Amino acid sequence: MRSCILTTRIEVRPFELRDLDRILAIERASFGADAWNQKLLLGYFRECPALFFTAKIARHIAGYSITCISRRDAELVSIAVGERDRRRGVGQALLSETLTILRSRRIKNWRLMVDASSQTALRFYERYGFERTRIVKGYYGAGRDGLGMRMLL
């Protein structure tokens, strides 16, 4: 009997305007009432186009990430993966592509803010190499704290 190993080929590429509807759908499904709108996403596209990526599996967009750079620091401002594509390496592929560029630009510090109650997200970032740095009370609204994290590059 032959065994078959399934592999997922993930293509990470720069965001294109034609991706916007799918990115908005992923955003709404991932963040619900806290989801960013079209205007905000397009604002980040204008401000941080070099590190606004989409990840594709086959012919569909599976996720996206946005990182902005200022001087020697960078901030991962958003990352999300469509529900059916989670745990397939999409988030890791997006972070890896970004990390390669950050290192080539000699960025020293990559930071992010995450909902302190999201254990799944915290484990994901810690596995990737981010460390917890601080708690910001009420960052996501009343009773919803943010947790700052960073990676020294």
Side-chain angles (χ1 to χ4, degrees):
M1 179 177 207
R2 301 172 93 187
S3 65
C4 179
I5 298 173
L6 297 176
T7 60
T8 302
R9 185 174 184 288
I10 302 165
E11 172 195 358
V12 176
R13 64 165 174 73
F15 169 83
E16 298 173 0
L17 287 175
R18 65 185 170 141
D19 303 332
L20 187 58
D21 288 342
R22 177 66 182 136
I23 297 300
L24 284 165
I26 291 170
E27 178 75 11
R28 284 189 297 271
S30 297
F31 301 112
D34 294 328
W36 289 357
N37 62 30
Q38 177 176 325
K39 183 177 180 180
L40 189 54
L41 286 168
L42 288 174
Y44 276 109
F45 177 56
R46 282 190 300 280
E47 295 297 318
C48 310
L51 295 172
F52 190 153
F53 292 118
T54 58
K56 288 181 73 176
I57 296 176
R59 295 182 191 176
H60 75 276
I61 294 172
Y64 77 93
S65 68
I66 307 168
T67 295
C68 296
I69 296 174
S70 65
R71 297 186 187 111
R72 292 281 184 219
D73 289 338
E75 180 181 9
L76 176 66
V77 294
S78 190
I79 184 170
V81 176
E83 191 171 351
R84 76 178 187 178
D85 294 310
R86 292 180 186 156
R87 292 174 182 69
R88 297 178 70 189
V90 174
Q92 185 171 352
L94 288 160
L95 291 182
S96 294
E97 182 69 21
T98 303
L99 182 59
T100 297
I101 292 170
L102 294 177
R103 285 187 170 144
S104 75
R105 293 185 181 188
R106 299 189 176 168
I107 301 300
K108 301 296 182 198
N109 187 43
W110 192 13
R111 61 191 183 328
L112 62 88
M113 188 67 68
V114 63
D115 187 329
S117 68
S118 179
Q119 293 303 309
T120 302
L122 289 170
R123 283 191 303 273
F124 170 74
Y125 293 126
E126 287 176 334
R127 276 194 311 269
Y128 199 80
F130 285 90
E131 297 177 345
R132 299 174 188 210
T133 58
R134 65 190 171 108
I135 292 178
V136 179
K137 295 286 186 189
Y139 183 85
Y140 291 101
R144 295 183 57 214
D145 299 339
L147 180 64
M149 301 183 82
R150 80 166 176 218
M151 178 190 297
L152 298 176
L153 308 180

